[in-house]
Amino acid sequence: QLQLQESGSGLVKPSQTLSLTCAVSGDSMNGGGYTWNWIRQPPGKDLEWIGQIYQSGSTYYNPSLTRRVTISIDKSKNQFSLELTSVTTADTAVYYCTRGVTTWGQGILVTVTS
Amino acid sequence: EIVLTQSPGTLSVSPGERVTLSCRASQSLSRTYLAWYQQKPGQAPRLLMYGGSTRATGIPDRFSGSGSGTDFTLTISRLEPEDFALYYCQQYSPSPPWTFGQGTKVEV
């Protein structure tokens, strides 16, 4: 059964870089043509798609975040990662990783605070 | 970017009632790329429907999806107590960005 698990720092200082990893278990990232996505949800607010990566390494980002976002994939470790630079308190959110629309991680709360 | 607008913002209903949630897109969207989620406090969104009208694994048949073009609907035929939650629509077009509606809260 496919499972996704987010990990990374839950506390980040303003202006620093947020880094998260999504570990994929139960299936290989090498095939299938799936999109691997990052989505976030600020406390009490709506869902926001951050971006996606294909197994080929092709990426697509939300235009509102594209200058600060990098998504990468490490198929040898069966994981993909998110980096968000120059964070502010507005980046405080629960961050989810997904495979397509069907499978979501449980989410990880990242708080930006000094 | 395709903007999704959900209505109503909040729906006050009773168990056993039929519920219809609306999701309107700012431009025509293939039903193939429309999903519905249910979210409860402190939990990740749970996929209900994808492809506009296909129930995800384990979703009871009281949930159904329909629509085309710019207007899509999620219907719950008989509301159960566990169905009180927040519902989101999402479009996942092959041409990103993906977007979500702002949600409809179904409450007692």
Side-chain angles (χ1 to χ4, degrees), chain A residues 87-103:
Chain A
V87 298
T88 70
T89 55
D91 295 309
T92 293
V94 175
Y95 286 76
Y96 298 99
C97 59
T98 84
R99 188 181 81 172
V101 298
T102 58
T103 308

Side-chain angles (χ1 to χ4, degrees), chain A residues 35 37 39 41 45-47 49 52 60 63 96 100-102 104-105, chain B residues 1 37 39 43-45 47 50 88 90 92 96-98 100-102:
Chain A
T35 62
N37 299 270
I39 291 165
Q41 186 173 36
K45 296 188 178 179
D46 300 329
L47 296 158
W49 179 78
Q52 67 187 194
Y60 298 91
Y96 298 99
V101 298
T102 58
W104 290 55
Chain B
E1 174 175 321
Y37 297 89
Q39 188 177 35
Q43 296 183 16
L47 180 68
Y50 63 95
Y88 288 100
Q90 178 203 19
Y92 52 104
W98 292 4
F100 292 87
Q102 81 281 21

Side-chain angles (χ1 to χ4, degrees), chain A residues 23-75:
Chain A
V24 178
S25 59
D27 198 4
S28 170
M29 297 184 75
N30 279 310
Y34 298 105
T35 62
W36 302 93
N37 299 270
W38 287 99
I39 291 165
R40 70 180 181 178
Q41 186 173 36
K45 296 188 178 179
D46 300 329
L47 296 158
E48 179 182 35
W49 179 78
I50 298 170
Q52 67 187 194
I53 190 166
Y54 284 82
Q55 62 158 359
S56 64
S58 297
T59 53
Y60 298 91
Y61 300 133
N62 189 318
S64 67
L65 297 169
T66 189
R67 289 180 299 171
R68 299 195 291 130
V69 173
T70 302
I71 297 176
S72 58
I73 190 169
D74 187 338
K75 290 179 284 183

Side-chain angles (χ1 to χ4, degrees), chain B residues 61-83:
Chain B
D61 59 8
R62 64 179 181 273
F63 290 91
S64 63
S66 63
S68 63
T70 59
D71 291 304
F72 300 89
T73 299
L74 175 71
T75 300
I76 310 173
S77 59
R78 285 182 57 86
L79 204 65
E80 297 288 338
E82 62 267 28
D83 299 337

